[in-house]
Amino acid sequence: MAKPTTEQLTRINQLARVPLTEDETYVFPAKLVGDQIIPRRFYRLTPNFLRKMAVQAREGVSLLLDHSWANLGIMTIPLGRTFDSRLQMDGDELALYADHYMKLGQEVGDIKIDQIADGIDAGTIFDTSIGFTVSSQTCSICGQEYFGGSCPHIRGREYDTKLCTVDINDGDLMENSLVFDGAYPGAGVVGMSNTLETQSTVKWEALSEDAKSLPSDGRVFYSFSGKSGLDGFVIKQEKNNEPETQAKGDDTVTDEQKAALAAAQTQATALAAANGVLGQVRAALGVENDTDIPAKLTALSAQAADGAAYKVKVTEQACGAGVRALGEAFNVEAMKTVLSNLPVTEIEKIGASYEAQAQAALGGGGRHTEGDNPDLPAGAANGTSPANVQAAAQKTPEQLQAAEKEAAKTAAIAALKNTGRGNLLKEDK
């Protein structure tokens, strides 16, 4: 399965709320659409609209199955998301490509993401189709709004040898779907070599207000908004590897400019990596903003100090119970070493076990006479021997308590040895 590069994972984790790892992230590139006429439907997306879609795909739109939002009553939950995009020339076609990611191991309804990824890798899932809204669509013959206006032309027909199409000038990219048969020719999953090595990426630059000449192809793409007004863009005339060439050395820049360019590239890479790490820290601490991190760390430090003090306390209590249960045979230092690697809950359990053994060893109070006759043999109260053979078989309360203590101690020592913890006993000298 296709894993993300370090740069891709950094960009993905700027979108993910919980940072993803390389092993749980699946990525693939796909051609979304281009500026060619859609067969049989006679629609065409203008280059200006493609530029807007490229920005939206870079910000992240949903990856769905078969435009599920268009089917009433069908649950629509994205399988993945776009995280990067690029415009490039495929011959005479201006095409939009986007990179997608999915989280492996997830299930969306009854769909397993790993199965979708396997299908993409196997080539059995390959076609894609975009879902988008339209706010402006004009006739290619007269330039008027095709729907609801005074345009007299019909798409798909020729007028003076010119084909009428509906030019989609503006709208919004909603999603990209994996489908069995896409409408736009060539739209679908592609190999990385197809988009990154053999094709040239298109870059744009603003058209200067005082410009009196245009690049060789003579095309200008305009966008209009209430905020920025009418802006013109032309294809930037540069090679794909120009920044790298300048950084390594050429005759068009000074040494100081080369050094500054290399430093800027290094800083940009470091900043992207730092933003990725900060995202992971925010997720681990459960905070929304970077400014909340110091306060959260301070609170966690105080809690950690309290937890460490409590662990010392329960360790001392457990060791004290061990000494009461086993006496001098209990190795306190060895026990402290063992307990230092255990969570507090386990230490409490061990301490409770030793305390129970200690209670048994120390007698724990209670009755030591047998039967219903509370009378003790003569001399039992002061420890003197019984006066006859039958009385000799009786034991005083003190003797019974001592016997019980020795039996509990012997049982505890045997239990430690049987469970492989004989190292907690002091060696006999």
Side-chain angles (χ1 to χ4, degrees):
M1 292 185 178
K3 295 183 178 180
T5 65
T6 301
E7 181 179 353
Q8 286 178 323
L9 190 60
T10 298
R11 186 179 293 273
I12 289 169
N13 280 330
Q14 291 174 350
L15 301 175
R17 291 190 177 278
V18 177
L20 303 176
T21 65
E22 175 186 315
D23 291 333
E24 63 185 358
T25 308
Y26 178 87
V27 297
F28 70 92
K31 180 178 180 178
L32 271 58
V33 72
D35 65 351
Q36 301 298 299
I37 298 173
I38 300 175
R40 299 183 302 278
R41 302 181 185 180
F42 302 102
Y43 283 93
R44 185 181 74 91
L45 275 66
T46 63
N48 184 59
F49 189 22
L50 291 178
R51 289 184 59 255
K52 182 177 181 181
M53 282 188 173
V55 173
Q56 293 173 331
R58 192 173 302 116
E59 294 172 346
V61 299
S62 297
L63 174 68
L64 304 178
L65 275 183
D66 202 24
H67 304 300
S68 55
W69 56 271
N71 301 315
L72 295 178
I74 302 298
M75 177 175 63
T76 300
I77 299 179
L79 306 176
R81 188 176 185 178
T82 62
F83 66 92
D84 202 359
S85 68
R86 55 196 166 274
L87 287 168
Q88 62 186 46
M89 296 302 300
D90 293 347
D92 294 332
E93 175 192 22
L94 178 64
L96 171 61
Y97 289 79
D99 293 328
H100 306 67
Y101 77 93
M102 300 185 295
K103 182 180 179 182
L104 296 172
Q106 278 190 325
E107 291 188 25
V108 179
D110 57 352
I111 300 171
K112 292 181 171 58
I113 296 299
D114 289 42
Q115 293 178 346
I116 299 296
D118 288 340
I120 293 174
D121 287 343
T124 57
I125 298 176
F126 52 94
D127 265 17
T128 63
S129 174
I130 60 172
F132 59 97
T133 62
V134 176
S135 58
S136 173
Q137 40 197 345
T138 57
C139 171
S140 63
I141 302 295
C142 64
Q144 299 184 74
E145 285 293 327
Y146 184 83
F147 297 100
S150 57
C151 170
H153 306 105
I154 304 298
R155 59 189 169 103
R157 297 182 182 180
E158 289 190 357
Y159 298 85
D160 294 331
T161 69
K162 186 176 181 181
L163 181 66
C164 176
T165 62
V166 178
D167 292 347
I168 302 176
N169 305 298
D170 197 8
D172 293 286
L173 177 63
M174 294 169 54
E175 49 90 8
N176 191 33
S177 281
L178 297 166
V179 297
F180 75 95
D181 186 18
Y184 189 85
V189 179
V190 297
M192 293 300 291
S193 59
N194 182 41
T195 60
L196 297 182
E197 297 174 5
T198 62
Q199 304 294 338
S200 59
T201 300
V202 176
K203 295 184 178 180
W204 306 86
E205 61 182 349
L207 178 64
S208 173
E209 293 182 357
D210 57 359
K212 296 295 292 182
S213 62
L214 296 174
S216 58
D217 64 359
R219 291 190 296 176
V220 181
F221 305 123
Y222 291 97
S223 65
F224 179 80
S225 72
K227 294 182 179 179
S228 62
L230 184 65
D231 296 317
F233 297 86
V234 294
I235 296 177
K236 190 174 184 180
Q237 301 298 302
E238 65 176 8
K239 296 180 179 179
N240 288 339
N241 63 349
E242 182 176 349
E244 288 78 4
T245 301
Q246 289 184 352
K248 293 178 181 177
D250 56 35
D251 297 331
T252 63
V253 294
T254 65
D255 291 339
E256 291 77 9
Q257 290 173 325
K258 297 172 189 175
L261 178 59
Q265 293 172 340
T266 301
Q267 290 175 354
T269 301
L271 180 59
N275 286 334
V277 172
L278 276 176
Q280 297 176 10
V281 172
R282 288 195 301 270
L285 295 179
V287 298
E288 294 290 336
N289 303 312
D290 294 345
T291 53
D292 297 330
I293 292 177
K296 186 68 173 181
L297 289 175
T298 300
L300 289 176
S301 296
Q303 294 175 9
D306 292 341
Y310 181 69
K311 186 172 183 178
V312 171
K313 178 181 178 180
V314 296
T315 298
E316 293 292 342
Q317 291 174 342
C319 290
V323 171
R324 290 192 297 275
L326 303 179
E328 295 183 356
F330 185 78
N331 192 331
V332 175
E333 295 305 320
M335 173 55 79
K336 287 184 177 180
T337 300
V338 172
L339 298 183
S340 66
N341 298 314
L342 297 178
V344 170
T345 54
E346 292 299 318
I347 299 175
E348 289 175 334
K349 291 178 182 178
I350 292 173
S353 176
Y354 280 132
E355 186 62 35
Q357 295 175 22
Q359 290 292 333
L362 297 175
R367 181 176 185 175
H368 296 279
T369 59
E370 297 182 1
D372 296 327
N373 183 9
D375 296 332
L376 297 175
N382 56 16
T384 59
S385 300
N388 53 63
V389 176
Q390 182 177 1
Q394 302 291 332
K395 293 184 178 180
T396 67
E398 291 78 6
Q399 290 171 327
L400 288 172
Q401 183 175 351
E404 289 179 358
K405 179 177 180 179
E406 186 63 29
K409 176 179 176 181
T410 301
I413 292 174
L416 283 176
K417 291 181 178 180
N418 290 335
T419 56
R421 293 189 177 271
N423 63 310
L424 298 179
L425 298 173
K426 291 183 178 179
E427 297 182 359
D428 295 332
K429 297 184 178 179

CSV table of all heavy atoms in Angstrom, one decimal, residues 298-319:
chain,number,residue,atom,x,y,z
A,298,THR,N,2.0,22.5,33.1
A,298,THR,CA,2.1,22.8,34.5
A,298,THR,C,1.2,22.0,35.3
A,298,THR,O,1.6,21.4,36.4
A,298,THR,CB,1.8,24.3,34.7
A,298,THR,OG1,2.8,25.1,34.0
A,298,THR,CG2,2.0,24.7,36.2
A,299,ALA,N,-0.1,21.9,34.9
A,299,ALA,CA,-1.1,21.1,35.6
A,299,ALA,C,-0.7,19.6,35.6
A,299,ALA,O,-0.8,18.9,36.7
A,299,ALA,CB,-2.4,21.2,35.0
A,300,LEU,N,-0.2,19.1,34.5
A,300,LEU,CA,0.2,17.7,34.5
A,300,LEU,C,1.5,17.4,35.3
A,300,LEU,O,1.6,16.4,35.9
A,300,LEU,CB,0.5,17.3,33.0
A,300,LEU,CG,-0.7,17.2,32.1
A,300,LEU,CD1,-0.2,16.9,30.7
A,300,LEU,CD2,-1.6,16.1,32.6
A,301,SER,N,2.4,18.4,35.4
A,301,SER,CA,3.6,18.3,36.3
A,301,SER,C,3.2,18.2,37.7
A,301,SER,O,3.7,17.4,38.5
A,301,SER,CB,4.5,19.5,36.1
A,301,SER,OG,5.0,19.5,34.7
A,302,ALA,N,2.2,19.0,38.2
A,302,ALA,CA,1.7,18.9,39.6
A,302,ALA,C,1.1,17.6,39.8
A,302,ALA,O,1.3,17.0,40.9
A,302,ALA,CB,0.8,20.1,39.8
A,303,GLN,N,0.3,17.1,38.9
A,303,GLN,CA,-0.3,15.8,39.1
A,303,GLN,C,0.7,14.7,39.1
A,303,GLN,O,0.6,13.7,39.9
A,303,GLN,CB,-1.3,15.5,38.0
A,303,GLN,CG,-2.5,16.5,37.9
A,303,GLN,CD,-3.4,16.2,36.7
A,303,GLN,OE1,-3.2,15.3,36.0
A,303,GLN,NE2,-4.4,17.1,36.5
A,304,ALA,N,1.7,14.8,38.3
A,304,ALA,CA,2.8,13.8,38.3
A,304,ALA,C,3.5,13.8,39.7
A,304,ALA,O,3.9,12.7,40.2
A,304,ALA,CB,3.8,14.0,37.2
A,305,ALA,N,3.8,14.9,40.2
A,305,ALA,CA,4.5,15.0,41.5
A,305,ALA,C,3.6,14.4,42.6
A,305,ALA,O,4.1,13.6,43.5
A,305,ALA,CB,4.8,16.5,41.9
A,306,ASP,N,2.3,14.6,42.6
A,306,ASP,CA,1.4,14.0,43.6
A,306,ASP,C,1.4,12.5,43.4
A,306,ASP,O,1.4,11.8,44.4
A,306,ASP,CB,0.0,14.6,43.4
A,306,ASP,CG,-0.1,16.0,43.9
A,306,ASP,OD1,0.8,16.5,44.6
A,306,ASP,OD2,-1.0,16.7,43.5
A,307,GLY,N,1.4,12.1,42.2
A,307,GLY,CA,1.4,10.6,41.9
A,307,GLY,C,2.6,9.9,42.4
A,307,GLY,O,2.6,8.8,42.9
A,308,ALA,N,3.8,10.6,42.2
A,308,ALA,CA,5.1,10.0,42.6
A,308,ALA,C,5.1,9.9,44.1
A,308,ALA,O,5.6,8.9,44.7
A,308,ALA,CB,6.2,10.9,42.1
A,309,ALA,N,4.6,10.9,44.8
A,309,ALA,CA,4.6,10.9,46.3
A,309,ALA,C,3.7,9.8,46.8
A,309,ALA,O,4.0,9.1,47.8
A,309,ALA,CB,4.2,12.2,46.9
A,310,TYR,N,2.6,9.6,46.2
A,310,TYR,CA,1.6,8.6,46.6
A,310,TYR,C,2.2,7.2,46.3
A,310,TYR,O,2.0,6.3,47.1
A,310,TYR,CB,0.3,8.7,45.9
A,310,TYR,CG,-0.7,7.7,46.3
A,310,TYR,CD1,-1.3,7.7,47.5
A,310,TYR,CD2,-1.1,6.7,45.4
A,310,TYR,CE1,-2.2,6.7,47.9
A,310,TYR,CE2,-2.0,5.7,45.7
A,310,TYR,CZ,-2.6,5.7,47.0
A,310,TYR,OH,-3.5,4.8,47.4
A,311,LYS,N,3.0,7.0,45.2
A,311,LYS,CA,3.6,5.8,44.9
A,311,LYS,C,4.6,5.4,46.0
A,311,LYS,O,4.7,4.2,46.4
A,311,LYS,CB,4.2,5.8,43.5
A,311,LYS,CG,4.8,4.4,43.1
A,311,LYS,CD,5.2,4.5,41.6
A,311,LYS,CE,5.7,3.1,41.2
A,311,LYS,NZ,6.1,3.1,39.8
A,312,VAL,N,5.4,6.4,46.4
A,312,VAL,CA,6.4,6.1,47.5
A,312,VAL,C,5.6,5.6,48.8
A,312,VAL,O,6.1,4.7,49.5
A,312,VAL,CB,7.2,7.4,47.8
A,312,VAL,CG1,8.0,7.2,49.1
A,312,VAL,CG2,8.1,7.7,46.6
A,313,LYS,N,4.5,6.3,49.1
A,313,LYS,CA,3.7,5.9,50.3
A,313,LYS,C,3.2,4.5,50.2
A,313,LYS,O,3.4,3.7,51.2
A,313,LYS,CB,2.6,6.9,50.4
A,313,LYS,CG,1.7,6.6,51.7
A,313,LYS,CD,0.6,7.6,51.7
A,313,LYS,CE,-0.4,7.3,52.9
A,313,LYS,NZ,-1.5,8.3,53.0
A,314,VAL,N,2.6,4.1,49.1
A,314,VAL,CA,2.0,2.8,49.1
A,314,VAL,C,3.1,1.7,49.0
A,314,VAL,O,3.0,0.6,49.4
A,314,VAL,CB,1.1,2.6,47.9
A,314,VAL,CG1,-0.2,3.5,48.0
A,314,VAL,CG2,1.7,2.9,46.5
A,315,THR,N,4.3,2.1,48.4
A,315,THR,CA,5.4,1.1,48.4
A,315,THR,C,5.9,0.9,49.8
A,315,THR,O,6.2,-0.3,50.2
A,315,THR,CB,6.6,1.7,47.5
A,315,THR,OG1,6.1,1.9,46.2
A,315,THR,CG2,7.8,0.8,47.5
A,316,GLU,N,6.1,1.9,50.6
A,316,GLU,CA,6.5,1.7,52.0
A,316,GLU,C,5.5,0.9,52.8
A,316,GLU,O,5.9,0.0,53.6
A,316,GLU,CB,6.7,3.1,52.7
A,316,GLU,CG,7.8,4.0,52.1
A,316,GLU,CD,9.2,3.4,52.4
A,316,GLU,OE1,9.3,2.5,53.3
A,316,GLU,OE2,10.1,3.7,51.8
A,317,GLN,N,4.2,1.1,52.5
A,317,GLN,CA,3.2,0.3,53.2
A,317,GLN,C,3.2,-1.1,52.8
A,317,GLN,O,3.1,-2.0,53.7
A,317,GLN,CB,1.8,0.9,52.9
A,317,GLN,CG,1.5,2.3,53.5
A,317,GLN,CD,0.2,2.9,53.0
A,317,GLN,OE1,-0.4,2.4,52.0
A,317,GLN,NE2,-0.3,3.9,53.7
A,318,ALA,N,3.5,-1.4,51.5
A,318,ALA,CA,3.5,-2.8,51.1
A,318,ALA,C,4.8,-3.5,51.7
A,318,ALA,O,4.7,-4.6,52.1
A,318,ALA,CB,3.6,-2.8,49.5
A,319,CYS,N,5.9,-2.8,51.7
A,319,CYS,CA,7.1,-3.4,52.3
A,319,CYS,C,6.9,-3.6,53.8
A,319,CYS,O,7.4,-4.6,54.3
A,319,CYS,CB,8.3,-2.5,52.0
A,319,CYS,SG,8.8,-2.5,50.3
